[in-house]
Amino acid sequence: KTPKNREESLGRQAMMILLSLVVLLFASDPQTSVVVGFSVDGLVPSLRSPSRATLQLQKENIDKDTAKNPSFPFSSEELVEMAKEYIKNPSPDWWDDDEFVFRGPVIGPLVKKDLVSTLQANEDLKKAFPDLQSNAFGFTADDPIEPNRVWFFVRPRGTFSGPFQHPTNGIIEPTNAPYIAPPEIRSVTFNEKGKIKYQTVGYVADRFTDDTTGGRGAIFGQYAVMGQEIDGNPGSWSTIFLQKLSEFLPSVPKSYSSKSDLPVWWKDERMGAEL
């Protein structure tokens, strides 16, 4: 390949890895009407507002549990219910316009505008795993350090039953291989307005649970099931290279936002897969 063709190939690979990762990380159960940022029917961006009950929850100043956190208007019980509502009826409207940051082990930090742009681009992963379920459970807002943070687990399941358009290798035909992912830890942090300030996804809790991904989580596990291994470890030189390359390819969605766009509360200097 010529240098130009190699650059285009690497750019396409970086784009597909990022877009597929985001689809998986935000995937919800198929019986719900929307996955985060996408409609179930076609992965069309969903800007549907939260339900009326949820909006009421966001607006009310709840007096319960003030002894635990006097300055915060929501009790731990309300925070858990808000997180469950978000998972059930996800939408970018939950994300605070100015404060929101999305982070995974090797993707992010991404601000709202960049994550919304990323969410609008890919439906190939859904076609490959049409029965994907996240199986969220274990919601808790009992964090003694960050009482406004809701932690929970997911144990994704699905089947590689549809063709997958690989960014460089063409069509990968389905094998009906089961996708059994290891348990992952996720979290959402709410601010005083009832909006999500921070979301984390993709952190594997146990690599030894009879999964079919070799202990890999998120998109990296799905690629393994399809016979395509990607290094999704923090510090991976190949992942860092692809992410750096994407900075010079405007058509490729960002793996992380520009430092100038990050909110002032975000202090960590590491970008993408950097250690």
Side-chain angles (χ1 to χ4, degrees):
K1 295 182 179 180
T2 66
K4 181 178 180 181
N5 289 337
R6 283 196 297 270
E7 179 177 306
E8 291 176 350
S9 176
L10 287 169
R12 289 194 299 270
Q13 184 176 359
M15 177 174 64
M16 183 60 69
I17 291 172
L18 172 61
L19 296 176
S20 300
L21 175 61
V22 172
V23 173
L24 172 62
L25 295 179
F26 281 105
S28 183
D29 292 344
Q31 61 264 30
T32 60
S33 59
V34 181
V35 292
V36 175
F38 296 88
S39 73
V40 164
D41 292 333
L43 294 186
V44 177
S46 170
L47 300 179
R48 186 176 68 184
S49 299
S51 68
R52 182 177 298 178
T54 302
L55 289 173
Q56 183 66 23
L57 247 179
Q58 293 175 350
K59 293 177 181 179
E60 290 178 351
N61 289 327
I62 301 169
D63 294 328
K64 303 175 185 177
D65 209 19
T66 54
K68 179 180 177 181
N69 189 7
S71 63
F72 200 72
F74 301 103
S75 70
S76 59
E77 290 79 8
E78 267 81 36
L79 290 171
V80 166
E81 290 306 311
M82 290 161 64
K84 289 180 177 180
E85 176 70 15
Y86 171 56
I87 299 303
K88 181 180 178 181
N89 296 298
S91 165
D93 286 349
W94 281 91
W95 306 337
D96 190 274
D97 291 336
D98 301 316
E99 291 190 314
F100 178 76
V101 171
F102 170 91
R103 193 58 161 114
V106 298
I107 297 296
L110 283 165
V111 299
K112 181 175 180 176
K113 65 175 183 178
D114 293 331
L115 186 56
V116 167
S117 176
T118 299
L119 290 172
Q120 295 174 353
N122 183 22
E123 63 179 45
D124 291 328
L125 194 62
K126 176 180 175 288
K127 293 178 180 178
F129 295 85
D131 61 345
L132 182 65
Q133 299 182 48
S134 65
N135 296 315
F137 69 99
F139 291 80
T140 178
D142 293 327
D143 189 325
I145 309 302
E146 298 175 275
N148 56 327
R149 189 170 190 172
V150 179
W151 295 90
F152 60 99
F153 295 87
V154 295
R155 300 198 72 163
R157 297 291 187 270
T159 309
F160 178 32
S161 58
F164 180 69
Q165 178 64 57
H166 192 280
T168 58
N169 298 339
I171 297 291
I172 300 177
E173 295 298 333
T175 62
N176 289 316
Y179 169 57
I180 302 174
E184 297 178 19
I185 301 172
R186 303 183 182 181
S187 75
V188 287
T189 303
F190 291 92
N191 60 19
E192 293 82 356
K193 297 178 289 185
K195 295 287 188 177
I196 295 175
K197 172 182 178 180
Y198 182 41
Q199 178 164 359
T200 62
V201 295
Y203 293 89
V204 172
D206 185 354
R207 297 190 295 116
F208 310 101
T209 56
D210 295 324
D211 57 75
T212 60
T213 70
R216 301 174 181 87
I219 177 60
F220 307 103
Q222 285 186 293
Y223 264 65
V225 168
M226 294 187 290
Q228 309 289 318
E229 294 189 2
I230 303 173
D231 189 351
N233 294 309
S236 165
W237 68 266
S238 58
T239 302
I240 293 173
F241 171 74
L242 288 171
Q243 291 176 334
K244 292 291 185 183
L245 178 63
S246 69
E247 295 182 23
F248 304 97
L249 300 172
S251 62
V252 177
K254 296 180 177 181
S255 295
Y256 44 80
S257 297
S258 301
K259 290 186 177 181
S260 60
D261 289 334
L262 295 172
V264 293
W265 71 266
W266 183 263
K267 304 299 183 183
D268 199 294
E269 293 291 327
R270 293 168 292 184
M271 309 297 281
E274 293 177 348
L275 290 175

